[in-house]
Amino acid sequence: MTPPPARRRRALTGGAAPARNLPRRGAIRRAQAITTYGVGSLVAVDHESFVVSGLDGADEHWDIDESPRIYERRLARLLGVQHFRLPPASDDTSKDGLRVRRFPLMQSCPECDDLRRYRDFTPPPGRSVCGTCEADLVPSRFVIACEAGHLDEFPYWHWVHRSSGRGATTAGQCGGTLKLRSSGRSSSLRSVLISCTCGVPEVSMEGSFRRSALKDLGLRCRGTRPWLGTSAVAQSCGLTPRTLQRGSSAVWQPVVKSALSIPPWSDGRADPLAEHWDELRKLDSRAEIEMCLKFAFKGESPVPVDEVMALLDAEREEDPTGENAPTFDHRYRALRNKEYERLRSGNDERERSRDEQYICESPIGGTAVLQPLGVAGPMLVKKLREVRALKAFTRLADPDAPFESNEVPLSDSGLTWLPAMQVHGEGVFLRLDEDRLDTWEKAPAVAARVERMRTAHQRALEQRADDPTRVAPSPATPRMVLLHTLAHVLIDEWSLEAGYPAASLRERLYAADDMAGLLVYTATSDSAGSLGGLVAQGEPDRLDRAIRSAVHRAEWCSSDPLCVESEASGTSGTNLAACHACVLLPETSCEHNNILLDRALLVGTPEEPGLGFFAGIVES
């Protein structure tokens, strides 16, 4: 967080402060408003803490006048919106920015040790200090949240009075003042001491993070949503909340969906029709479509009728409707299937227009050199555009789960847009030979090894879920783990050859019964993402050398023999031969949070060298 110049007074606003107070300010990047500091998340500005406001509301909402529109029809249709918007900027040119509200309101003074609500300290306007001691106030380290996404203050009064026999209805009625101090003996919760001047015994925070800690106090979630402001009505909830550190990643996890712009939507010609697609989809005949376009644009349509009909046909093919309409997960997989088809086929040079955002070509050299590796059909993605949209968020979610549960919407009033960012870049797409892959994945040793990972992952998902019967099956399959691990070693290899750091390269996996490919690409928020360094690695000769080098690197790990002989590694044993010294990547690069990895499926093990898909390379 870097404070902007003094004239930038409203990049972030402290909504709960009195109206006369000067607004708080800070700076975050636009991309962080999607991935890190989105709606409902907590953000620190200097020594203060705020919650990012929702997309609408009576006040403290997003100012969409500073949010340019983004169009990506395939993703918009999937998420049920008309378009997307960039988050408001936080720079010298913006008048407003993201709005926030002060949270948590419980603060403590390090001088007098008082623990009370912010307004009770009577701070002077524009400052977050104790009105008596003039010391900087410290926001509460602890908050509570439930799996339905609600967020609330930690119930300090109930915690310190739990042995006094007072019920929940008497909260704050003892007449005393809460105090918070640290014994200084350690950094553990046992050293964080809470007391009340009414005379109850002083207690520590030890035990407050137990799953049943608040349930034992007779407390249930009140359904509060501070990011929507004071006008938001508390929802009926009743779940048992859990105590969390204010800065914990469990407090807020984004639900981000992304899509590549592919023909026929990648040239931007369909963008002017974004607000009219819902009406156009209901029409069948050419005459009806012509009439609708004339009425919508009061004259000549910016897109020819024939083009509109072709776009509608492409949409219906990808997203069929009717009684047997697919679920969201099926539609999201269909979106990936279309990307896979386009990556395989590329786009002909004659199809390109000046505004084309997707250029995918076959390499110039022959691909026969790749046949011994079991690699087929490399494609050079010289230009790509990806749109990443914040669909919702979760709290107390399992980051390793293959699905999102209890998603919290960003707005109470069905908006026609969602916050998103667009990135431009380049990449290399490659597939594995289907015949060789089918033979390899049916080998008993391969199936048994992946089954160990799948069982461990499934067990972890069920243990973390309130209702194990609703847990989706683990996505672990031999081809998925193989493609995932291959993508990781290629990213490591290309980060040395292509001039990009590993953190700026990303994987996009296409692993299903009818797909066996991977895309390694780089993408930035401006045109600097297309420098050609990565695309050059997709030429067959270079790709051959890169795969051979990556596989040979994966043969040895500085943690061997412990790594390769590991019976389980990673979160809950969801990895096998994978560690930070060999195949794990920065979080920004991996689609699956660095789980379901095993380099033994690439190179084999000392006991079973034939286990690896690329065992022939290792032997040679």
Side-chain angles (χ1 to χ4, degrees):
M1 299 291 295
T2 304
R7 63 181 179 274
R8 284 286 299 112
R9 302 298 297 174
R10 304 191 66 178
L12 293 173
T13 304
R20 67 181 182 276
N21 281 11
L22 295 175
R24 299 285 165 252
R25 67 186 189 278
I28 63 173
R29 298 189 303 275
R30 267 179 161 161
Q32 289 179 306
I34 304 297
T35 60
T36 311
Y37 300 120
V39 171
S41 66
L42 298 182
V43 55
V45 180
D46 296 330
H47 60 276
E48 301 176 73
S49 176
F50 303 91
V51 61
V52 178
S53 296
L55 301 184
D56 59 357
D59 56 3
E60 309 307 338
H61 58 283
W62 284 27
D63 184 0
I64 60 175
D65 292 337
E66 294 188 16
S67 303
R69 293 190 180 191
I70 299 175
Y71 295 99
E72 172 44 53
R73 180 57 195 160
R74 298 169 64 244
L75 187 61
R77 185 174 72 253
L78 177 71
L79 299 180
V81 295
Q82 293 180 357
H83 59 271
F84 304 100
R85 288 186 181 270
L86 283 173
S90 179
D91 55 32
D92 293 341
T93 63
S94 63
K95 299 178 181 179
D96 201 339
L98 287 182
R99 295 296 190 94
V100 298
R101 303 185 66 86
R102 189 182 300 280
F103 186 86
L105 295 179
M106 291 298 292
Q107 313 261 320
S108 62
C109 174
E111 295 293 335
C112 61
D113 293 336
D114 279 3
L115 174 65
R116 57 178 72 183
R117 295 177 73 84
Y118 171 80
R119 64 173 179 268
D120 295 334
F121 282 100
T122 61
R127 301 180 63 193
S128 178
V129 298
C130 176
T132 303
C133 308
E134 295 192 357
D136 289 337
L137 296 177
V138 179
S140 169
R141 286 174 52 191
F142 312 103
V143 297
I144 62 175
C146 76
E147 292 184 354
H150 302 125
L151 187 67
D152 207 348
E153 308 277 350
F154 181 82
Y156 288 103
W157 194 92
H158 297 87
W159 185 254
V160 74
H161 290 86
R162 64 184 186 273
S163 60
S164 64
R166 295 188 175 99
T169 57
T170 60
Q173 301 302 314
C174 64
T177 301
L178 293 176
K179 298 282 187 177
L180 183 150
R181 71 181 183 89
S182 174
S183 67
R185 296 178 181 177
S186 69
S187 58
S188 67
L189 293 175
R190 183 177 297 180
S191 295
V192 180
L193 303 174
I194 312 295
S195 61
C196 183
T197 56
C198 71
V200 295
E202 186 177 56
V203 300
S204 74
M205 290 294 293
E206 186 176 25
S208 59
F209 281 74
R210 291 185 296 107
R211 279 183 172 269
S212 60
L214 301 181
K215 182 179 181 180
D216 294 342
L217 296 179
L219 298 178
R220 292 290 185 269
C221 178
R222 300 187 302 165
T224 56
R225 297 172 292 170
W227 62 94
L228 296 182
T230 55
S231 60
V233 178
Q235 294 180 327
S236 175
C237 183
L239 295 176
T240 301
R242 287 174 53 189
T243 305
L244 297 169
Q245 290 269 16
R246 174 165 49 89
S248 169
S249 61
V251 171
W252 188 85
Q253 286 284 341
V255 180
V256 177
K257 299 298 180 183
S258 67
L260 300 181
S261 295
I262 59 173
W265 307 94
S266 53
D267 60 4
R269 287 179 56 79
D271 293 352
L273 303 174
E275 298 180 0
H276 308 287
W277 274 116
D278 289 341
E279 186 176 355
L280 288 169
R281 293 183 73 189
K282 302 174 184 177
L283 307 178
D284 295 319
S285 70
R286 180 187 180 91
E288 290 176 326
I289 293 174
E290 284 182 343
M291 184 67 67
C292 178
L293 292 174
K294 287 182 180 179
F295 180 79
F297 295 97
K298 297 179 175 59
E300 185 177 354
S301 170
V303 183
V305 177
D306 290 338
E307 232 178 282
V308 174
M309 296 185 70
L311 290 171
L312 289 171
D313 290 340
E315 181 177 286
R316 293 183 181 117
E317 179 184 352
E318 183 174 337
D319 185 20
T321 58
E323 297 181 358
N324 298 321
T327 63
F328 179 86
D329 290 339
H330 285 90
R331 294 169 63 203
Y332 193 55
R333 283 196 291 270
L335 182 145
R336 286 289 182 105
N337 287 339
K338 284 296 179 181
E339 291 178 5
Y340 184 72
E341 292 176 8
R342 274 295 179 176
L343 288 167
R344 287 190 62 172
S345 60
N347 57 340
D348 194 301
E349 184 175 0
R350 293 171 298 177
E351 298 177 1
R352 301 178 199 164
S353 67
R354 181 178 179 180
D355 298 325
E356 180 61 58
Q357 298 167 325
Y358 173 83
I359 299 178
C360 180
E361 299 178 335
S362 300
I364 298 175
T367 60
V369 67
L370 299 174
Q371 291 180 359
L373 304 180
V375 174
M379 299 294 286
L380 309 181
V381 187
K382 296 183 176 180
K383 190 175 180 181
L384 65 82
R385 171 181 179 259
E386 181 190 22
V387 175
R388 304 169 191 164
L390 179 62
K391 175 177 180 278
F393 66 88
T394 62
R395 304 198 196 277
L396 299 174
D398 177 13
D400 300 334
F403 62 97
E404 293 85 13
S405 58
N406 295 323
E407 294 181 359
V408 185
L410 306 183
S411 165
D412 262 352
S413 60
L415 293 176
T416 58
W417 61 277
L418 287 173
M421 59 178 291
Q422 60 181 349
V423 293
H424 303 270
E426 60 180 358
V428 175
F429 172 76
L430 60 89
R431 295 181 291 115
L432 297 183
D433 181 83
E434 290 282 357
D435 294 335
R436 179 170 169 177
L437 184 61
D438 288 341
T439 302
W440 171 83
E441 64 186 354
K442 291 176 182 177
V446 172
R449 191 170 178 90
V450 175
E451 179 61 23
R452 286 162 53 191
M453 301 171 65
R454 192 204 64 78
T455 301
H457 189 213
Q458 192 71 35
R459 185 187 307 115
L461 295 177
E462 293 174 355
Q463 288 175 348
R464 297 169 187 171
D466 286 343
D467 184 3
T469 61
R470 295 180 58 247
V471 174
S474 168
T477 62
R479 71 172 58 194
M480 182 270 173
V481 178
L482 173 64
L483 287 166
H484 192 197
T485 311
L486 177 60
H488 277 228
V489 298
L490 278 177
I491 287 175
D492 276 334
E493 182 69 23
W494 282 338
S495 68
L496 302 175
E497 297 291 335
Y500 290 103
S504 67
L505 299 179
R506 294 169 62 90
E507 66 179 6
R508 196 168 180 88
L509 303 180
Y510 301 90
D513 292 339
D514 55 347
M515 296 190 295
L518 63 91
L519 172 67
V520 174
Y521 66 103
T522 180
T524 63
S525 55
D526 57 31
S527 59
S530 299
L531 300 177
L534 184 58
V535 165
Q537 307 304 314
E539 291 293 343
D541 290 339
R542 287 192 176 187
L543 183 58
D544 174 64
R545 291 195 299 269
I547 294 177
R548 291 179 183 274
S549 177
V551 169
H552 280 296
R553 287 177 186 272
E555 187 180 3
W556 294 101
C557 171
S558 59
S559 296
D560 281 340
L562 295 178
C563 179
V564 74
E565 294 179 357
S566 173
E567 293 295 323
S569 66
T571 306
S572 302
T574 50
N575 290 334
L576 289 180
C579 70
H580 285 283
C582 51
V583 300
L584 298 191
L585 289 177
E587 292 182 358
T588 55
S589 301
C590 182
E591 280 194 311
H592 295 279
N593 297 292
N594 275 324
I595 66 169
L596 305 179
L597 294 163
D598 182 15
R599 62 189 175 91
L601 297 185
L602 296 177
V603 299
T605 64
E607 294 79 14
E608 295 181 288
L611 187 69
F613 183 83
F614 298 101
I617 299 178
V618 176
E619 293 172 357
S620 60

